[in-house]
Amino acid sequence: VVHDITARKQVEAELQKSLLSLQKTLNDTVSAMAKILELKDPYTSGHQVRTAKLATAIGRKMNLPEETINTIHTGTIIHDIGKIYVPSDILSRPGKLSDLEFKIIQAHARGGYDILKDIEFNSPIAQIVLQHHERIDGSGYPQGLKDGEILLEAKILAVADVVEAMSSYRPYRPSMGVDKALDEIKSNRGIKYDATVVDACTELFTKDNFTFPAVS
């Protein structure tokens, strides 16, 4: 009996070691994807890192399980991977984009999904990436989904994405600042953006002194 228990424990330990190794490989793969995109567009790479910090902070503010927080982080750190399909001159061009150029950029959500859909994550990472520009009133893209059709993780990413993007410099415009970004999500609370997510995000900045990390 003692021998059987010992053998079982050894098998369990080996399985746990194998699981941790697979998880590390998956995390390393995700990091590599983010670095590949950085070579194409450093603004996008920095945006993903900063947005991931905000998105995970929102998740913790909402008291979500740690497993969900990890899913949010993974989806956020590569949410713009589909921009690898977008020509570099469009991504970094100063000035207003044409309607056609904007549609090309919009295609990055579907492109990211196509890249990720066959990877066996233990959570719906590809769907989160696909849905991160959806809005709860159905005005988003690429599918025009409404509130109940959008994953909570994607709703969180949507808010974090908007706040980081508006408060950061881009080649085609200066930073609009955190205050203006918060005005955007508050004015569309319960319209475009999930009300609970907006409240959590707002409290992070107004009560918890949240700041974005510097990205080199």
Side-chain angles (χ1 to χ4, degrees), residues 16-204:
Q16 182 65 22
K17 182 178 178 181
S18 178
L19 180 61
L20 291 173
S21 177
L22 286 171
Q23 187 61 52
K24 182 179 184 304
T25 299
L26 187 57
N27 290 340
D28 290 346
T29 300
V30 168
S31 297
M33 288 180 181
K35 289 177 181 178
I36 289 169
L37 188 57
E38 181 178 9
L39 296 175
K40 184 180 181 72
D41 178 23
Y43 294 104
T44 296
S45 176
H47 163 67
Q48 292 187 135
V49 171
R50 289 157 58 89
T51 302
K53 182 176 181 183
L54 177 55
T56 53
I58 292 171
R60 289 195 171 93
K61 188 75 175 175
M62 294 172 63
N63 296 314
L64 298 179
E66 197 62 28
E67 183 178 352
T68 304
I69 305 278
N70 291 336
T71 295
I72 292 168
H73 180 270
T74 300
T76 304
I77 207 72
I78 52 172
H79 74 274
D80 277 340
I81 189 66
K83 285 185 177 177
I84 202 162
Y85 292 124
V86 180
S88 297
D89 62 328
I90 292 178
L91 288 174
S92 59
R93 179 179 303 166
K96 188 177 179 180
L97 297 173
S98 69
D99 290 343
L100 176 59
E101 289 168 335
F102 187 62
K103 285 182 179 179
I104 291 172
I105 287 183
Q106 283 186 320
H108 79 276
R110 175 72 65 179
Y113 171 78
D114 289 341
I115 291 170
L116 300 170
K117 64 182 180 181
D118 294 325
I119 299 176
E120 292 188 12
F121 295 101
N122 60 356
S123 51
I125 301 300
Q127 281 294 332
I128 293 167
V129 169
L130 179 64
Q131 295 179 10
H132 78 276
H133 279 290
E134 301 289 354
R135 301 292 181 255
I136 65 173
D137 62 355
S139 64
Y141 64 86
Q143 297 173 290
L145 301 180
K146 291 188 177 181
D147 191 3
E149 302 169 307
I150 305 170
L151 294 170
L152 175 59
E153 295 92 338
K155 292 176 182 178
I156 292 171
L157 172 50
V159 168
D161 189 32
V162 167
V163 171
E164 198 290 326
M166 288 185 66
S167 60
S168 297
Y169 166 81
R170 291 294 182 270
Y172 47 86
R173 61 152 174 81
S175 165
M176 290 184 271
V178 170
D179 289 343
K180 192 151 188 174
L182 294 180
D183 286 343
E184 159 64 20
I185 62 170
K186 287 188 288 185
S187 65
N188 285 290
R189 177 185 179 274
I191 302 171
K192 292 184 177 181
Y193 312 112
D194 181 273
T196 303
V197 177
V198 169
D199 292 345
C201 182
T202 302
E203 283 191 18
L204 284 171

Side-chain angles (χ1 to χ4, degrees), residues 202-215:
T202 302
E203 283 191 18
L204 284 171
F205 285 95
T206 60
K207 295 182 180 181
D208 300 342
N209 298 314
F210 176 89
T211 56
F212 287 110
V215 178

